[in-house]
Amino acid sequence: MVPYKQVIVVRTDIEMSRGKLAAQVAHAAVTALEETRRRRPDWVQQWFEEGQKKVVLQCRDLQELLQLYEKAKSLGLPAVLVEDAGRTELPPGTVTCLGIGPAPEELVNRVTGHLKLLR
Amino acid sequence: MVPYKQVIVVRTDIEMSRGKLAAQVAHAAVTALEETRRRRPDWVQQWFEEGQKKVVLQCRDLQELLQLYEKAKSLGLPAVLVEDAGRTELPPGTVTCLGIGPAPEELVNRVTGHLKLLR
C-alpha cells in the first residue's frame, strides 16, 4: 500500500498567536482536502484508511511559500494557499500557509522533503 | 441565512509545540467535518458557502473537555475527540482536543459560548 500524507507549510516570518496559527493550519487542511477530493477521491479514501497522516512544516517567508506552491502544482499535486481574512491579528489577505494533498508521500516529499517540522 | 461555524477546543494543561498543536487542531477539524458530513451534509454545504468559519478555543483540562463533548452530544451536535498517536511529544492516547461541527452558531454557542479564544 502506498503511504499517503497531507502537508501544511507555515511561514515563520509573520507573528501569529497559537490559536490563530492553528486555525490557519486547520483551514489549509480542510481546503486542501476538498481540492484533493474533487481531483483524486481515491487518494482521499486511501489517506483516511491509513489514519490521515498530517505533517506541519515551516518555511522562511512568502517567497519560499509561493515557490513551494508552484512546485507542487507543476507535479500535479492538489495544493492551496490560505489567506487570512484579516479581522484580527494580520492585515487582510495575508497568505499564511500552504496545504498539499493528501497525496502519495513520495510525491509530496519532492516538494517539501527538505523542510523542517514546525516547533 | 443561519450562520454556521466549526469550533475546536484545546486543553491547555498539556505541553505541545506549535506544530504539534496545529496538527492536532487540523486533525479535529477534518474529523469533525467528516462526522458532520455523514450526519448533516446540509450543514457542511452551508458552512462552505459562508466561508468555513473556524474558531479555536481553550479549556482547562481533560475533565472540562469531556464535559463539553458530552454536552455537545446531548444537543445532537456532531462532535469528535482527538487522541494523539503519541509517537513524539505526548504519551500514546492522550486526548488533546475536541472538534464540533460545522453547525449552527447558536447551537454551538450553547456548548462553547463561555470559553476563551486560544492565544
Side-chain angles (χ1 to χ4, degrees):
Chain A
M1 195 163 62
V2 179
Y4 287 80
K5 71 177 169 186
Q6 185 181 56
V7 166
I8 295 104
V9 186
V10 179
R11 286 171 65 179
T12 52
D13 64 327
I14 50 179
E15 288 282 323
M16 289 184 273
S17 67
R18 290 184 309 155
K20 161 71 81 179
L21 173 73
Q24 296 290 306
V25 168
H27 205 76
V30 167
T31 307
L33 170 63
E34 295 306 305
E35 175 68 12
T36 308
R37 199 191 302 270
R38 269 190 293 275
R39 292 176 44 194
R40 293 302 304 253
D42 53 324
W43 287 2
V44 169
Q45 192 185 336
Q46 285 289 331
W47 178 68
F48 275 124
E49 283 172 11
E50 292 173 10
Q52 49 161 317
K53 181 176 177 183
K54 266 182 226 80
V55 183
V56 182
L57 303 172
Q58 56 179 282
C59 78
R60 234 177 5 255
D61 53 20
L62 179 61
Q63 190 187 358
E64 189 180 5
L65 199 72
L66 295 175
Q67 285 166 353
L68 294 162
Y69 175 66
E70 293 303 330
K71 179 85 186 284
K73 305 263 278 185
S74 76
L75 291 171
L77 287 165
V80 301
L81 291 170
V82 167
E83 285 186 18
D84 186 59
R87 289 187 205 91
T88 49
E89 299 174 25
L90 299 168
T94 302
V95 175
T96 56
C97 53
L98 162 69
I100 302 174
E105 193 143 22
E106 181 273 324
L107 206 54
V108 178
N109 286 346
R110 281 200 242 166
V111 183
T112 61
H114 62 295
L115 298 175
K116 287 185 184 163
L117 284 172
L118 179 68
R119 290 293 173 190
Chain B
M1 196 162 63
V2 179
Y4 286 80
K5 71 177 169 188
Q6 184 180 56
V7 165
I8 296 104
V9 185
V10 179
R11 285 172 66 179
T12 51
D13 63 326
I14 50 180
E15 289 281 325
M16 290 184 272
S17 68
R18 289 184 310 155
K20 162 70 82 178
L21 173 73
Q24 296 291 307
V25 168
H27 204 77
V30 167
T31 307
L33 170 63
E34 294 307 304
E35 175 68 12
T36 309
R37 199 190 301 270
R38 269 190 293 275
R39 293 175 44 193
R40 295 300 304 251
D42 53 325
W43 288 1
V44 168
Q45 192 185 337
Q46 285 287 332
W47 178 68
F48 275 123
E49 284 172 11
E50 292 173 10
Q52 49 161 317
K53 180 176 178 183
K54 265 183 227 79
V55 182
V56 182
L57 303 172
Q58 55 179 282
C59 77
R60 233 178 5 256
D61 53 19
L62 179 60
Q63 190 186 359
E64 188 179 8
L65 199 72
L66 295 175
Q67 284 166 352
L68 294 163
Y69 175 66
E70 293 303 330
K71 179 87 186 281
K73 304 265 276 186
S74 76
L75 292 172
L77 287 165
V80 300
L81 291 170
V82 167
E83 284 186 19
D84 186 60
R87 289 187 206 89
T88 49
E89 299 173 26
L90 299 169
T94 302
V95 175
T96 56
C97 53
L98 162 68
I100 303 174
E105 193 143 22
E106 181 273 324
L107 206 53
V108 179
N109 286 347
R110 281 199 240 166
V111 182
T112 62
H114 61 295
L115 298 175
K116 288 185 184 159
L117 285 172
L118 179 68
R119 291 290 173 191

